């Protein structure tokens, strides 16, 4: 028996791929998805090696942190209310490239990455694949290019406007709003017009602001590299954190693989006994209140905290579990039915049978976790795609949307009473959960299958021929122009012929008339 186990272990190892994960961004909420992706591949027997800012605290079989970047910008539990304004506005493309992407590209020059670039091409066994985050620092795809392996992109959100062209994914802006706007399907004319202009503008500013990455990859990696735009188009496919049940029906190529909810995993998530006891003893139910891993609720202006305190106190004996990084910074007067913790195992809490609702800022990860477990929400968006996430949830009757600009105690009271007492929200959440989870393969199995597919069949296996076309060719503008010119020439020729015939007829009539007169 021992020999048989050893045999299968050796076979599994021999068939496994060596995969390099490149996730340099310092956003913990992004890495939650990437960590689970790499762990899923490791569980399948592949040897995964990861470059990130978040090395594992506990060793994991087949998973190795080869480079761990220093945290230079602390955003976990550290984004204040005043800083939120910098995350909003029209220039999302510029901000993503200039403030998030370009500075991260300097990490290509760190000792660990340089050592890997020097040694990896000669590694034995060689790398088979590279997986890189598609957000702002696409420069890290240069590592995969140097290794001469297929490069797979992974996005922790639905695609941002500037990412469509990498795999020539159709961007039908007539009915598919970009994720930077809180538009729904069935847009009116002016919404479609703004959707088009907003999308194209952000693509333009991102391309302009991130063009410096060409100089950076040639400086830090190799002077012979293609420019960043060509490098982006070498992606074999993109794993995207979306699903049609939530994000709607959109056109896509086979190279866009939806794996929404991939990060929703309970493996390794420990529930403190004291918290489990508190939830079990919440016989009248409890509400979970969190604004994610970045935002400090305790930094909000007193007028908002006063509203939260007053409204949450009124729903007792229903309890409230609230994520507060530093509870000592809260003003006095916290209601007795509110329990605060600096860290909360969210998936375990949302799975608990006594939970009634989730008060959230609408971050995609938390939203998908609530959908997974069928928990209705009260949404208060703060920045980025949170506005559209909450608007979509409102349309689907799983979310009651509020806005900080118009938030009052009365509106907070109404939202709490509705989500606690109107069964339509929980019923809708349960139905959406069923659709979200009803797939041929679950999210992690889907991701692993398609990663292995690219490893087996190569970088061009899902590549669209449209990647090699100019934008005006993809839009058939040259065809339309040709047909227009052909039509104009035909009309002109027809006009000439008609005029000639008319003149000929007139000439014959005139000749006949003269002959008759004579």
């Amino acid at each position: 028996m021992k020999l048989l186990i050893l045999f299968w272990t050796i076979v599994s190892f021999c068939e496994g791929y060596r995969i390099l994960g490149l996730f340099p961004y310092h956003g913990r909420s992004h890495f939650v998805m990437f960590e689970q992706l790499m762990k899923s591949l490791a569980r399948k027997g592949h040897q995964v090696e990861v470059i990130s800012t978040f090395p594992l605290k506990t060793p994991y079989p087949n998973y190795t942190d080869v480079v761990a970047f220093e945290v230079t910008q602390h955003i976990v539990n550290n984004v204040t209310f005043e800083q939120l304004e910098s995350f909003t506005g029209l220039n999302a493309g510029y901000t993503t490239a200039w403030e998030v992407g370009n500075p991260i590209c300097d990490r290509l020059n760190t000792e660990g990455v340089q050592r890997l670039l020097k040694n990896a091409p000669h590694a034995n066994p060689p790398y088979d694949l590279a997986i890189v985050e598609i957000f702002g620092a696409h420069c890290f795809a240069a590592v995969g290019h140097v290794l001469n392996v297929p490069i797979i992109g992974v996005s922790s959100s639905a695609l941002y406007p500037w990412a469509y062209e990498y795999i020539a994914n159709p961007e039908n802006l007539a009915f598919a709003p970009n994720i930077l706007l809180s538009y729904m399907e069935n847009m009116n004319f002016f919404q479609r017009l703004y959707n088009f202009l907003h999308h194209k503008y952000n693509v333009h500013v991102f391309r302009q602001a991130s063009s410096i990455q060409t100089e950076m990859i040639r400086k830090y990696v190799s002077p012979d590299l293609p420019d960043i735009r060509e490098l982006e188009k070498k992606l074999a496919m993109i794993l995207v954190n979306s699903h049609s049940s939530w994000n709607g029906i959109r056109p896509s190529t086979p190279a866009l693989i939806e794996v929404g909810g991939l990060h929703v995993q309970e493996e390794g998530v420990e529930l403190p006994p004291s918290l489990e006891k508190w939830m079990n003893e919440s016989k009248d139910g409890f509400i979970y209140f969190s604004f994610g891993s970045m935002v400090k609720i305790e930094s909000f202006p007193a007028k908002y905290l006063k509203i939260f305190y007053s409204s949450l106190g009124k729903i007792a004996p229903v309890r409230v579990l609230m994520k507060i990084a530093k509870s000592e910074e809260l003003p006095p007067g916290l209601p007795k039915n509110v329990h605060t913790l600096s860290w909360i195992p969210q998936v375990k809490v949302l799975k608990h049978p006594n939970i009634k609702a989730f008060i959230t800022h609408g971050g995609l990860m938390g939203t998908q976790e609530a959908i997974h477990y069928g928990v209705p929400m009260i949404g208060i968006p703060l920045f980025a795609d949170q506005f559209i996430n909450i608007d979509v949830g409102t349309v689907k009757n799983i979310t009651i949307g509020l806005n900080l600009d118009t938030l009052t105690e009365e509106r907070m009271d109404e939202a709490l009473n509705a989500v606690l007492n109107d069964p339509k929200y929980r019923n809708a959440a349960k139905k959406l959960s069923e659709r979200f989870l009803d797939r041929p393969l679950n999210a992690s199995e889907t991701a692993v299958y398609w990663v292995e597919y690219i490893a087996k069949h190569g970088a061009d296996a899902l590549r669209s021929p449209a990647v090699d076309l100019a934008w005006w060719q993809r839009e058939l503008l040259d065809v339309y122009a040709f047909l227009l010119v052909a039509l104009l020439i035909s009309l002109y020729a027809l006009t000439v012929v008609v005029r000639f015939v008319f003149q000929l007829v007139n000439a014959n009539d005139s000749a006949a008339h003269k002959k008759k007169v004579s």
Side-chain angles (χ1 to χ4, degrees), residues 319-386:
R319 290 171 156 187
V320 179
L321 177 62
M322 199 170 185
K323 178 189 170 294
I324 300 292
K326 297 180 179 179
S327 58
E328 65 274 12
E329 295 182 8
L330 284 172
L334 190 69
K336 293 181 180 179
N337 63 323
V338 177
H339 179 54
T340 66
L341 288 173
S342 60
W343 175 84
I344 295 174
Q346 189 157 285
V347 292
K348 294 285 191 179
V349 171
L350 290 171
K351 185 182 179 181
H352 198 278
N354 287 343
I355 190 168
K356 296 289 188 181
F358 178 24
I359 301 177
T360 173
H361 62 320
L364 183 58
M365 300 299 181
T367 298
Q368 288 178 335
E369 289 165 3
I371 294 170
H372 184 104
Y373 293 111
V375 179
M377 292 170 277
I378 294 175
I380 307 175
L382 303 176
F383 58 89
D385 62 344
Q386 296 162 13

Side-chain angles (χ1 to χ4, degrees), residues 128-147:
D128 298 291
L129 279 172
I131 302 177
V132 63
E133 177 178 11
I134 300 303
F135 184 48
H138 304 156
C139 52
F140 269 78
V143 178
H145 182 79
V146 169
L147 298 178

